[in-house]
Amino acid sequence: MLRGSRISLHVMVVLSSILYVYFSTVFVFIQQGYGMSTSDGLFNVVVFTLVAIMCVHSYIRAVFTDPGRVPSSYSPDVEEADHAIQEVKRKGGDLRYCQKCSHYKPPRAHHCRICNRCVLRMDHHCIWLNNCVGHANYKFFLIFVMYAVIACIYSLVLLIGNLTVESPEDNGDEGSFRTVYVISGIFLVPLSMSLGIFMMWHFYLLLQNKTTIEYHEGVRAMLLAEKGGPVYSHPYNLGVYGNLVSCIVCRFLFGYLMRHIHLMVLGPNIIFWMCPSSRHIASGIRFRTALHKLAVSSSSK
């Protein structure tokens, strides 16, 4: 699952930013606000360190995990069950075929011109990861953003608290850390806002079971529908909870087929949703659709 890409300048900028936020928070904001030897200070150090570790670990996994390659043996099975979906080209209706990679594209796969290959369930190419965000590393990317937002807001709250409350560690040397406070404030406020908006955007996509590419394709399809074309309905939208986890009933009813269908982004166990693990993902070739959901509802009656 790991790819041997070279660490880029953008990746180094992200890692350096994480290190700066960590050291300024622990050795300036917590030290000056609580003191390392106090119970409150020690508690904040432990909690913030855990958040930082999860943030870095998730980021490293997102950077070095291959987002998903199309198997060389893949070919679409046009005789699959009725609830299976074969995506076709917008023009002509032929099965999607990548001329550059010389193979058929599985559902939700797209060709990345930067990586120069097709990526399973491609969301976008991220320069800050120096990698595509796709089937195998989307969860790592998502929870990295979540932990980054938590860390930025946590640090910002401590910074503001130190500016409004007299520090127990104040030794009369006012302004000795003023530069750190100014730089951190200028850095953390826009970073928290931008990452927060970005996180909410991907939460929206997650609840709709869409990728960024599929969102824009859906917008284009709805515009065409307004001009008299067919009404667009996203086929992979299973409802809010169904988009987050797999349906155990579906796995029981569909057996072998469901073992090869993507189990959604965060996995079936809510306890591990915030952990950078990917054991729940399948091949990324087949995905549950609204037709699967209807088939299960009919079978359970």
Side-chain angles (χ1 to χ4, degrees):
M1 294 294 289
L2 298 181
R3 69 186 189 98
S5 62
R6 185 175 58 186
I7 299 297
S8 69
L9 175 62
H10 292 89
V11 172
M12 293 301 299
V13 169
V14 173
L15 292 174
S16 299
S17 299
I18 294 174
L19 288 175
Y20 172 79
V21 172
Y22 177 77
F23 283 105
S24 63
T25 301
V26 172
F27 297 105
V28 178
F29 307 153
I30 296 178
Q31 172 67 25
Q32 293 299 305
Y34 299 97
M36 292 291 195
S37 59
T38 65
S39 58
D40 289 341
L42 184 59
F43 173 80
N44 280 284
V45 169
V46 171
V47 172
F48 193 80
T49 299
L50 289 175
V51 171
I53 290 173
M54 295 300 289
C55 183
V56 172
H57 183 52
S58 302
Y59 180 70
I60 294 299
R61 294 293 299 273
V63 170
F64 287 100
T65 298
D66 192 305
R69 296 177 178 270
V70 179
S72 58
S73 59
Y74 172 78
S75 61
D77 186 357
V78 296
E79 298 182 355
E80 282 186 307
D82 294 336
H83 50 260
I85 287 181
Q86 296 293 344
E87 295 180 355
V88 297
K89 296 180 180 179
R90 287 191 296 270
K91 295 181 180 180
D94 297 329
L95 293 174
R96 297 165 66 236
Y97 186 85
C98 182
Q99 299 292 341
K100 296 180 180 179
C101 297
S102 300
H103 59 58
Y104 286 101
K105 295 180 183 179
R108 315 184 79 174
H110 296 274
H111 186 88
C112 175
R113 59 182 180 81
I114 300 176
C115 296
N116 196 31
R117 64 182 178 88
C118 287
V119 176
L120 297 177
R121 195 183 179 273
M122 180 178 173
D123 187 272
H124 67 286
H125 184 92
C126 180
I127 61 172
W128 299 107
L129 299 179
N130 193 27
N131 195 6
C132 267
V133 177
H135 169 69
N137 68 343
Y138 184 82
K139 180 182 177 182
F140 303 140
F141 160 77
L142 181 62
I143 63 176
F144 157 67
V145 175
M146 293 167 62
Y147 280 117
V149 170
I150 293 172
C152 288
I153 294 176
Y154 198 148
S155 181
L156 192 58
V157 168
L158 291 172
L159 185 155
I160 295 173
N162 281 9
L163 295 178
T164 56
V165 179
E166 184 178 357
S167 170
E169 292 292 314
D170 188 6
N171 57 7
D173 186 16
E174 295 183 7
S176 59
F177 296 102
R178 184 172 299 173
T179 302
V180 176
Y181 281 94
V182 172
I183 293 175
S184 297
I186 295 174
F187 181 65
L188 288 172
V189 171
L191 185 62
S192 300
M193 293 178 62
S194 58
L195 284 177
I197 294 172
F198 192 62
M199 181 183 69
M200 296 305 297
W201 164 248
H202 276 278
F203 276 167
Y204 167 77
L205 293 178
L206 183 66
L207 296 178
Q208 297 290 319
N209 197 7
K210 294 179 181 179
T211 64
T212 300
I213 293 175
E214 289 169 348
Y215 170 81
H216 292 293
E217 288 179 342
V219 170
R220 185 164 48 245
M222 286 187 288
L223 292 175
L224 292 175
E226 292 178 356
K227 298 179 180 179
V231 178
Y232 174 77
S233 177
H234 186 56
Y236 304 105
N237 189 350
L238 307 174
V240 173
Y241 186 75
N243 291 337
L244 293 174
V245 298
S246 63
C247 177
I248 297 176
V249 178
C250 276
R251 288 177 61 82
F252 176 76
L253 290 175
F254 287 101
Y256 175 79
L257 175 62
M258 292 306 300
R259 287 199 296 272
H260 294 271
I261 291 180
H262 180 44
L263 301 183
M264 303 305 128
V265 174
L266 298 179
N269 194 334
I270 192 172
I271 298 176
F272 298 104
W273 279 4
M274 291 292 287
C275 296
S277 61
S278 60
R279 294 182 180 180
H280 62 281
I281 67 170
S283 64
I285 301 298
R286 298 182 179 90
F287 296 84
R288 286 183 60 208
T289 66
L291 295 177
H292 286 110
K293 189 175 180 180
L294 291 174
V296 172
S297 299
S298 301
S299 301
S300 59
K301 292 182 179 179

